[in-house]
C-alpha cells in the first residue's frame, strides 16, 4: 500500500489542535459520532482504490443536515480541510482522507425520503445505496437507471460526486442525466438547493457542475433522482467473436443500423475465462472476445431490434446465442458485473483503468495495450463498455513482488496517455481522485487547469474541500512533466521547473 | 457545406474588448434575439465561424463550429439517418448551432430523449480574457475535470463564446405517428402522467384546447401495436403539427400578451390564473399567456416547485428569469467573474445585476 498525502503545493496547512476541534464538534455531535483513536480510524484509511491509503485525522459521522452545516462552518472558520465519504467504493481514491483533515462520513444519511410516483422521482439521502432506490421503486413499476457494477454497495451521494456510469449508459445516460435536484452544504455551512423538480432550472446549470465534482465544490446532503418505467421486455444476445477487430466493427455496425442497445459490453479472453470460472455464466471460454448486447422496450420493439441485432452480429462472423429465460439473461449479466472480483480471484492484486476512446480506435488501442502488457511483463484483462467507448483494462500484479505496483501504475498511466492521444479521456466514469491527478496534466492545458481552479474557488474560496484531488496544481504538473517527457515534448512548458 | 475557421478573428476581437473593458453583445443568426434581457452593447458576430469539424455517424458524435447553420447540420445528420434528439426549435432559418446551445432550447422530444445539455459532450470556448479553452470531448463518457461544457448550455454566452460544440446524436426513428384524444384539462394531466408511467414509445405529449396529442416513435410494427394499445384517433399531419409546436407557429403562440415558459414537475396541479395554458413535455413545460404581474407568475412557479421565464414580449430592462436564492446567486456571480473578469460577454443578458 502506498501512503498518500497531497502534493506540497496542494496541502492545506493549519495550526488547529486536534483536541480543540474535537471539543467544538462535541457541542454538535454525540461522542460516538466523533472518531479520533487509531483503531477507530483504520477502517477509513482507504476507499475502493485500496492500493492507496492515509489514516484520517478526525472522522465525524453526522446524521442530519444541521450537523453537517455546523461541522463545515467550524472547519471553514478554523481553516481545516474536509473530505466527504459515502460508501467508500470509489475507484480513484476520491475519498482518501487527509492526515490533518476531517473525514465527513455520510453513511448515516441512509433514508429514502419520498417516492413520488406521478412525477417519477425519488428524494433520497446521499448514503442510500444505488440498488436500494430501484428496489424501493419496483412496486411502482419504476427504477433508477444508472447501474455501476458496485451498485449493491455504492451510495447515491458518491454516484453524484463521481458522475457514475454503468452498463446501460449508452441508452440511459450517466448520473448527470438522471438527477434533477441536489441539496448541498457549502464549505461555509450554507444549505443550497441546486436544480429543481422540473426538468430544468433557472440560471446556470450548476447541477451539471456539481455532478462529477468529486466533493470539491460542496457536500451533497440530498438527491432527487429521476425514475424510469421498468421496460416491458428486455433481451440479451451473447455474441462470440474469433477476433477483436470483427467485434469492434460489429459494434459500429449495430450503431450504424440505427440501434441503441440498452447495454453493449465487451470482454476479452482473459476476462471471459476469469468470469466464467467465477460465476459460470455460460460464456464460451474459447472465444477471443464476447459482446453482450441487451435490447429493451416494448415487447414488439424488442422483438424487431433483436432480429436486426442478431443479423448484424452474425454478418460480422459472431456465433450468437439469445438468453431464453430471464434467469439466463441475469446469469449472462452476472458474469459481466462480477468481472472485477473474478479477476481478483486469479491475481493477488489488480489495477482497474477507466479511459474512454472514440470507438473507431478500439482495435488500435487494444493492440497498444497488448504491446504495453508485453513491455511491462504484466497481464491485462479487458472489460469494455463497448457502446460508449469506455475501457476498463484490468492490470494484474502482485503487490508483494518488489516494484510491481509501481510497474502497474506506470503501465496504467501509459494506457491513459494512449487514450488521450486517440482523442479520448483519462476517465470515463471512475473519476480522477488522487489516482489520475497527474494524468490531468496531459489532458488539459495550464489555462484549462486554471479555469478548473477558478470554478472551485467560486464555491470554496479557501480551497478546503478535498484538496489534492481531481484538479492538479500547475506546480504538480511541472514536476510530473519533468518526469514525464513524451516524444520530446514537455507538457506545460511555460512553467518554471524545480 | 462550406466552412470557415474564424477563430483568430474572434479571439482578437475579444482580447481587444478585454483590454478596453468594452462589452460585447454576441450574435450569430439573430433568430433568438427576443430571448433574454434586451441589451445594447456593440455586437460581435460569430456566424462567420462555421462548418463541420468532425462527424463519424457510427460514433454518434458530431462536432461543428458555433456559427454552423442549424438547418444544414440537421440535413447532414438526416442524410446518415441521425438527428439532434433534443429537437431544437429554430425560430428562423438563420438559426445557428451556437445560439441553440447558448439558449439551451429543447423541443417536444425533450422529456423522452433528453435536453440540449444532456447531449452536450464537449466544447471549445473563448473566455472573457480571450483564452481558448476546451472541455469535455467527443466521447460519451468523460469525467475528467468539472463539467464546464454543460455549464455553457443555456448560459446565454455570459461565461464564454462557444467556438466548437460536440454533441451526441441519435438515430432517426424508423416510424413516427401521432394519435389524439379529446379530454378535459384535469383528465389530460392525469392521462399524461399515466402514459409516462407505462414506458411506452412516446416521443411527444402535449395538450391544447381540449386535445391531448401523443406522438409515438419506434419500429413500424411496434408503433402499430402501440396505437392499438392506446386507442385514440390518428392525426393526419403529424409532422407539421410537432414542427409548428416546436417553432411556436401554432395558434396558441400568436399573441401580444406576455408569453411565459413555466417549467414544473410534470404532474403539478393545474394553477388558476388569469390567462391561457398550453401543456407540453407531458405536463412538465407549460406555456402561459397572461397579463398578470411578473411577481405573481414567479411566485406561482416557485410554489409549484418550478421556475418561470418571460419568454416573449418582455419590456425593456425587465428581469425575465426566476430570481435566484441569495447563495446560488453568489455562486453565479463568482463563476461569471471566473470566466469573464471584465464583465464584457453579454453583460446583464441573464440577470440585471451581472
Amino acid at each position: 500500500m502506498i501512503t498518500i498525502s497531497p502534493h506540497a503545493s496542494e496541502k492545506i496547512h493549519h495550526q488547529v489542535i486536534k483536541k480543540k476541534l474535537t471539543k467544538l464538534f462535541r457541542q454538535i455531535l454525540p461522542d460516538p459520532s466523533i472518531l479520533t483513536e487509531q483503531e477507530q480510524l483504520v477502517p477509513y484509511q482507504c476507499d475502493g482504490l485500496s492500493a492507496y491509503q492515509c489514516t484520517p485525522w478526525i472522522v465525524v459521522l453526522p446524521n442530519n443536515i444541521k450537523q453537517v452545516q455546523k461541522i463545515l462552518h467550524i472547519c471553514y472558520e478554523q481553516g481545516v480541510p474536509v473530505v466527504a465519504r459515502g460508501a467508500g467504493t470509489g475507484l480513484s481514491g476520491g475519498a482518501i482522507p487527509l492526515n490533518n483533515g476531517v473525514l465527513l462520513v455520510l453513511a448515516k444519511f441512509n433514508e429514502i425520503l419520498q417516492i413520488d410516483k406521478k412525477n417519477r422521482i425519488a428524494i433520497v439521502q446521499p448514503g442510500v445505496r444505488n440498488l436500494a432506490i430501484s428496489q424501493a421503486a419496483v412496486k411502482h413499476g419504476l427504477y433508477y437507471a444508472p447501474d455501476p457494477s458496485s451498485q449493491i454497495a455504492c451510495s447515491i451521494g458518491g454516484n453524484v460526486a463521481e458522475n457514475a456510469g454503468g452498463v446501460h449508459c449508452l441508452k440511459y445516460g450517466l448520473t448527470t442525466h438522471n438527477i434533477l435536484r441536489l441539496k448541498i452544504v457549502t464549505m461555509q455551512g450554507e444549505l443550497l438547493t441546486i436544480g429543481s423538480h422540473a426538468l430544468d432550472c433557472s440560471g446556470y446549470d450548476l447541477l451539471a457542475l456539481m455532478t462529477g465534482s468529486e466533493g470539491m465544490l460542496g457536500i451533497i446532503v440530498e438527491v432527487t433522482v429521476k425514475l424510469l418505467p421498468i421496460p416491458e421486455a428486455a433481451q440479451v444476445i451473447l455474441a462470440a467473436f474469433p477476433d477483436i477487430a470483427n467485434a469492434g466493427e460489429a459494434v459500429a455496425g449495430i450503431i450504424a443500423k440505427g440501434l441503441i442497445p440498452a447495454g453493449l459490453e465487451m470482454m476479452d479472453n482473459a476476462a471471459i475465462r476469469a468470469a466464467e470460472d467465477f460465476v459460470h455464466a455460460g460464456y464460451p471460454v474459447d472465444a477471443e472476445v464476447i459482446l453482450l448486447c441487451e435490447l429493451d422496450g416494448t415487447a414488439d420493439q424488442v422483438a424487431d431490434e433483436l432480429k436486426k441485432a442478431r443479423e448484424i452480429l452474425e454478418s460480422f462472423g459472431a456465433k450468437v446465442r439469445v438468453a431464453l429465460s430471464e434467469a439466463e439473461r441475469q446469469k449472462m449479466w452476472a458474469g459481466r458485473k462480477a468481472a472485477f472480483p473474478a479477476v481478483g480471484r486469479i491475481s493477488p492484486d489488480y489495477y482497474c483503468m477507466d479511459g474512454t476512446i472514440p470507438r473507431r480506435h478500439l482495435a488500435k488501442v487494444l493492440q497498444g495495450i497488448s504491446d504495453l502488457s508485453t513491455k511491462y511483463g504484466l497481464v491485462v484483462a479487458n472489460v469494455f463498455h463497448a457502446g460508449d467507448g469506455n475501457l476498463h483494462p484490468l492490470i494484474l500484479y502482485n503487490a508483494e513482488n518488489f516494484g510491481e505496483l509501481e510497474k502497474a501504475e506506470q503501465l496504467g498511466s501509459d494506457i491513459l496517455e494512449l487514450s488521450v492521444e486517440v482523442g479520448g479521456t483519462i476517465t470515463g466514469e471512475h473519476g480522477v481522485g488522487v489516482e489520475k491527478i497527474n494524468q490531468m496534466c496531459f489532458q488539459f492545458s495550464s489555462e484549462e487547469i486554471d479555469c478548473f481552479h477558478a470554478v472551485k474557488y467560486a464555491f470554496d474560496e479557501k480551497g478546503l474541500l478535498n484538496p489534492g484531488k481531481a484538479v492538479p496544481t500547475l506546480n504538480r504538473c511541472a514536476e510530473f512533466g519533468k518526469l514525464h517527457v513524451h516524444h520530446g515534448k514537455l507538457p506545460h512548458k511555460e512553467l518554471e521547473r524545480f | 457545406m462550406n466552412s470557415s475557421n474564424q477563430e483568430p478573428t474572434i479571439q482578437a476581437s475579444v482580447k481587444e474588448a478585454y483590454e478596453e473593458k468594452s462589452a460585447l453583445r454576441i450574435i450569430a443568426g439573430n433568430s433568438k434575439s427576443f430571448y433574454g434581457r434586451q441589451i445594447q452593447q456593440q455586437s460581435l458576430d460569430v456566424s462567420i465561424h462555421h462548418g463541420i469539424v468532425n462527424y463519424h455517424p457510427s460514433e454518434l458524435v458530431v462536432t461543428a463550429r458555433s456559427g454552423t447553420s442549424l438547418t444544414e447540420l440537421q440535413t447532414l445528420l438526416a442524410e446518415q439517418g441521425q438527428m439532434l434528439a433534443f429537437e431544437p426549435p429554430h425560430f428562423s432559418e438563420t438559426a445557428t448551432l451556437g445560439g441553440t446551445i447558448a439558449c439551451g432550447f429543447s423541443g417536444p422530444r425533450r422529456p423522452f430523449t433528453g435536453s440540449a445539455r444532456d447531449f452536450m459532450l464537449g466544447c471549445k470556448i473563448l473566455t472573457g480574457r480571450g483564452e481558448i479553452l476546451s472541455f469535455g470531448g467527443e466521447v460519451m463518457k468523460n469525467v475528467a475535470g468539472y463539467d464546464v461544457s454543460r455549464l455553457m448550455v443555456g448560459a446565454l454566452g455570459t461565461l464564454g463564446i462557444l467556438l466548437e460544440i460536440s454533441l451526441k446524436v441519435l438515430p432517426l426513428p424508423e416510424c413516427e405517428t401521432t394519435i389524439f384524444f379529446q379530454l378535459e384539462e384535469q383528465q389530460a394531466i392525469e392521462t399524461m402522467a399515466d402514459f409516462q408511467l407505462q414506458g411506452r414509445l412516446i416521443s411527444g405529449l402535449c395538450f391544447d384546447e381540449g386535445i391531448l396529442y401523443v406522438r409515438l416513435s419506434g419500429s413500424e410494427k411496434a408503433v402499430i401495436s402501440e396505437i392499438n394499445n392506446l386507442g385514440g384517433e390518428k392525426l393526419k399531419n403529424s409532422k407539421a403539427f410537432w414542427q409548428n409546436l416546436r417553432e411556436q407557429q401554432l395558434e396558441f403562440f400568436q399573441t401580444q400578451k406576455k408569453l411565459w415558459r413555466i417549467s414544473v414537475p410534470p404532474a403539478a396541479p393545474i394553477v388558476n390564473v388569469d390567462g391561457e395554458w398550453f401543456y407540453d413535455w407531458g405536463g412538465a413545460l407549460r406555456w402561459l399567456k397572461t397579463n398578470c404581474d411578473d411577481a405573481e407568475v414567479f411566485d406561482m412557479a416557485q410554489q409549484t416547485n418550478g421556475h418561470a421565464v418571460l419568454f416573449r414580449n418582455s419590456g425593456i430592462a425587465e428581469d425575465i428569469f426566476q430570481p435566484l436564492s441569495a447563495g446560488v446567486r453568489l455562486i453565479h456571480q463568482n463563476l461569471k467573474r471566473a470566466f469573464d473578469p471584465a464583465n464584457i460577454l453579454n453583460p446583464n443578458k441573464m440577470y440585471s445585476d451581472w
Side-chain angles (χ1 to χ4, degrees):
Chain A
M1 288 222 286
I2 297 173
T3 299
I4 283 283
S5 62
H7 186 265
S9 61
E10 290 157 0
K11 190 171 166 87
I12 300 289
H13 297 274
H14 64 78
Q15 306 293 323
V16 181
I17 295 158
K18 194 171 178 177
K19 270 200 174 150
K20 180 187 155 196
L21 194 62
T22 316
K23 203 173 150 193
L24 290 173
F25 287 155
R26 287 222 168 88
Q27 294 169 8
I28 46 175
L29 291 171
D31 279 0
S33 298
I34 306 168
L35 312 179
T36 56
E37 302 306 316
Q38 180 65 25
E39 66 274 16
Q40 298 174 311
L41 298 174
V42 168
Y44 298 98
Q45 276 176 337
C46 69
D47 58 14
L49 182 72
S50 56
Y52 300 108
Q53 59 101 29
C54 173
T55 305
W57 192 46
I58 301 175
V59 174
V60 289
L61 297 119
N63 69 4
N64 64 58
I65 293 174
K66 281 254 147 34
Q67 289 175 350
V68 174
Q69 287 183 268
K70 285 178 184 165
I71 292 165
L72 286 166
H73 186 71
I74 290 169
C75 292
Y76 174 76
E77 295 277 306
Q78 303 289 329
V80 172
V82 176
V83 177
R85 178 186 168 104
T89 56
L91 292 171
S92 56
I96 289 181
L98 297 164
N99 63 9
N100 72 340
V102 169
L103 186 71
L104 182 69
V105 178
L106 291 146
K108 290 186 178 175
F109 284 78
N110 58 1
E111 273 180 53
I112 294 176
L113 301 173
Q114 192 196 344
I115 292 185
D116 178 347
K117 182 182 174 185
K118 277 194 166 171
N119 286 307
R120 288 162 283 120
I121 57 175
I123 306 172
V124 302
Q125 291 188 321
V128 170
R129 289 175 305 110
N130 172 298
L131 189 59
I133 302 174
S134 292
Q135 285 167 339
V138 69
K139 61 174 178 284
H140 304 295
L142 299 169
Y143 78 113
Y144 175 62
D147 58 343
S149 295
S150 58
Q151 69 181 149
I152 53 168
C154 63
S155 60
I156 191 72
N159 286 182
V160 175
E162 302 294 327
N163 193 10
V167 298
H168 290 94
C169 293
L170 179 66
K171 185 166 178 182
Y172 295 106
L174 299 150
T175 305
T176 194
H177 302 104
N178 287 281
I179 59 172
L180 286 174
R181 191 183 80 177
L182 297 174
K183 287 192 179 172
I184 67 162
V185 178
T186 65
M187 190 62 221
Q188 291 89 326
E190 195 180 350
L191 180 65
L192 301 180
T193 300
I194 306 283
S196 81
H197 284 172
L199 291 178
D200 46 31
C201 72
S202 51
Y204 297 145
D205 198 335
L206 301 185
L207 191 67
L209 213 45
M210 282 303 302
T211 313
S213 64
E214 305 199 18
M216 309 270 292
L217 304 181
I219 304 293
I220 296 156
V221 292
E222 190 187 288
V223 185
T224 300
V225 302
K226 283 185 209 170
L227 300 173
L228 300 181
I230 297 169
E232 181 182 284
Q235 290 217 287
V236 68
I237 308 176
L238 173 71
F241 290 86
D243 78 88
I244 210 124
N246 278 7
E249 281 165 23
V251 171
I254 285 175
I255 306 287
K257 291 279 189 219
L259 294 178
I260 301 291
L264 195 54
E265 295 290 307
M266 197 186 276
M267 291 163 79
D268 73 359
N269 186 265
I272 296 168
R273 283 176 187 274
E276 184 57 24
D277 279 353
F278 186 29
V279 295
H280 311 293
Y283 292 167
V285 291
D286 54 343
E288 196 52 45
V289 48
I290 58 167
L291 258 184
L292 287 174
C293 174
E294 176 152 290
L295 302 153
D296 69 9
T298 66
D300 290 305
Q301 183 76 24
V302 171
D304 279 357
E305 291 188 0
L306 191 75
K307 185 166 169 275
K308 244 189 190 177
R310 191 180 181 133
E311 284 167 11
I312 298 164
L313 290 164
E314 282 173 342
S315 75
F316 285 95
K319 278 189 198 154
V320 166
R321 202 170 90 217
V322 179
L324 295 174
S325 64
E326 179 58 20
E328 192 182 357
R329 185 180 82 90
Q330 293 291 353
K331 215 167 163 187
M332 283 185 186
W333 277 115
R336 166 59 189 88
K337 290 213 171 188
F340 292 9
V343 166
R345 287 171 76 239
I346 58 168
S347 172
D349 300 283
Y350 70 89
Y351 184 34
C352 172
M353 306 313 297
D354 178 43
T356 303
I357 56 163
R359 259 186 290 94
R360 62 186 180 279
H361 298 303
L362 176 64
K364 181 179 162 187
V365 171
L366 288 179
Q367 186 55 50
I369 292 175
S370 162
D371 294 346
L372 287 166
S373 160
T374 311
K375 178 180 159 192
Y376 286 95
L378 294 175
V379 175
V380 179
N382 284 292
V383 179
F384 178 33
H385 301 301
D388 46 39
N390 188 197
L391 295 164
H392 292 314
L394 302 168
I395 303 167
L396 277 47
Y397 71 98
N398 184 349
E400 285 178 11
N401 294 343
F402 181 74
E404 223 169 272
L405 168 58
E406 289 73 17
K407 242 202 299 189
E409 283 184 311
Q410 194 51 52
L411 168 50
S413 180
D414 287 0
I415 292 174
L416 297 186
E417 196 174 348
L418 182 60
S419 305
V420 174
E421 262 178 29
V422 300
T425 174
I426 58 172
T427 175
E429 57 182 1
H430 294 171
V432 174
V434 294
E435 183 207 14
K436 295 180 274 288
I437 189 164
N438 288 336
Q439 285 75 21
M440 284 290 281
C441 307
F442 55 64
Q443 186 165 340
F444 294 99
S445 71
S446 301
E447 291 80 11
E448 286 154 2
I449 287 173
D450 269 341
C451 180
F452 288 144
H453 287 297
V455 167
K456 174 167 174 68
Y457 292 120
F459 287 79
D460 170 22
E461 94 249 14
K462 292 189 184 177
L464 296 174
L465 282 171
N466 219 4
K469 313 274 172 68
V471 182
T473 56
L474 294 179
N475 283 338
R476 177 196 278 273
C477 287
E479 217 171 281
F480 177 66
K482 197 170 154 191
L483 302 172
H484 191 91
V485 179
H486 182 69
H487 300 325
K489 279 187 283 181
L490 203 60
H492 307 276
K493 56 185 183 299
E494 68 286 5
L495 296 172
E496 283 180 37
R497 307 285 149 167
F498 44 84
Chain B
M1 189 188 295
N2 59 6
S3 166
S4 167
N5 181 358
Q6 296 294 331
E7 214 169 89
T9 319
I10 301 172
Q11 186 178 29
S13 303
V14 174
K15 280 193 165 163
E16 191 186 320
Y18 176 62
E19 298 294 330
E20 293 173 1
K21 296 202 165 20
S22 59
L24 297 171
R25 181 169 57 92
I26 309 156
I27 61 160
N30 248 335
S31 58
K32 293 173 270 291
S33 53
F34 62 87
Y35 184 67
R37 297 184 68 255
Q38 301 304 308
I39 56 171
Q40 304 297 332
Q41 291 86 7
Q42 161 123 28
S43 64
L44 174 69
D45 185 0
V46 294
S47 64
I48 50 170
H49 185 58
H50 57 84
I52 304 294
V53 178
N54 235 334
Y55 177 39
H56 297 277
S58 77
E59 300 275 350
L60 298 174
V61 178
V62 66
T63 300
R65 299 197 182 100
S66 51
T68 306
S69 142
L70 189 58
T71 305
E72 284 184 32
L73 174 62
Q74 287 175 310
T75 308
L76 176 78
L77 297 176
E79 283 165 8
Q80 300 295 325
Q82 296 185 334
M83 64 173 177
L84 296 176
F86 55 101
E87 209 175 6
H90 293 226
F91 296 136
S92 153
E93 283 169 13
T94 57
T96 62
L97 174 63
T100 301
I101 295 300
C103 291
F105 288 160
S106 306
R109 206 182 297 271
R110 186 260 175 268
F112 313 98
T113 50
S115 64
R117 70 81 98 163
D118 288 338
F119 288 96
M120 183 77 168
L121 296 177
C123 62
K124 191 195 268 188
I125 61 164
L126 249 174
T127 67
R129 284 189 204 87
E131 305 157 311
I132 293 179
L133 309 181
S134 292
F135 298 100
E138 294 193 319
V139 288
M140 303 283 157
K141 279 168 146 181
N142 189 349
V143 293
Y146 304 122
D147 197 345
V148 175
S149 328
R150 289 199 171 89
L151 180 66
M152 294 297 144
V153 184
L156 292 174
T158 58
L159 296 177
I161 296 176
L162 292 160
L163 291 174
E164 281 176 21
I165 294 159
S166 299
L167 294 173
K168 179 178 175 180
V169 298
L170 285 181
L172 282 162
E174 185 183 313
C175 167
E176 235 164 37
T177 304
T178 301
I179 48 176
F180 67 94
F181 303 82
Q182 300 204 18
L183 296 172
E184 297 296 318
E185 203 171 22
Q186 183 58 40
Q187 264 182 309
I189 294 275
E190 284 164 23
T191 308
M192 288 194 285
D194 274 355
F195 280 177
Q196 292 177 88
L197 275 170
Q198 293 167 25
R200 314 311 308 188
L201 298 173
I202 297 171
S203 65
L205 192 54
C206 72
F207 177 75
D208 178 38
E209 293 272 335
I211 297 176
L212 176 70
Y213 299 87
V214 186
R215 182 172 61 182
L216 303 167
S217 303
S219 72
E220 201 177 337
K221 201 171 110 195
V223 168
I224 290 168
S225 100
E226 200 68 336
I227 295 172
N228 293 335
N229 199 356
L230 295 174
E233 283 178 67
K234 214 164 157 181
L235 186 72
K236 278 195 186 118
N237 44 2
S238 169
K239 201 168 177 182
F241 173 79
W242 294 100
Q243 183 174 325
N244 288 336
L245 165 55
R246 187 189 75 205
E247 300 299 337
Q248 301 190 336
Q249 295 297 315
L250 295 176
E251 176 75 30
F252 177 88
F253 296 98
Q254 313 314 314
T255 179
Q256 300 303 314
K257 288 183 188 172
K258 285 182 174 175
L259 178 68
W260 290 85
R261 176 193 188 279
I262 301 177
S263 191
V264 292
I270 294 165
V271 182
N272 283 315
V273 284
D274 185 17
E276 295 154 73
W277 293 95
F278 186 108
Y279 298 84
D280 194 7
W281 291 4
L285 179 62
R286 302 179 184 186
W287 297 97
L288 172 65
K289 292 189 287 195
T290 184
N291 288 323
C292 289
D293 282 351
D294 296 359
E296 201 180 321
V297 179
F298 285 130
D299 273 356
M300 179 213 17
Q302 191 171 17
Q303 278 164 23
T304 334
N305 283 319
H307 69 100
V309 183
L310 178 46
F311 199 79
R312 285 186 194 263
N313 308 330
S314 65
I316 299 288
E318 207 171 3
D319 260 326
I320 63 157
F321 291 99
Q322 185 85 27
L324 302 170
S325 72
V328 170
R329 195 177 71 212
L330 183 67
I331 291 175
H332 276 68
Q333 288 168 327
N334 291 344
L335 284 170
K336 172 68 175 169
R337 260 197 300 277
F339 284 89
D340 178 21
N343 198 24
I344 56 166
L345 302 179
N346 278 354
N348 314 112
K349 179 81 182 162
M350 195 177 237
Y351 287 94
S352 57
D353 43 357
W354 77 82

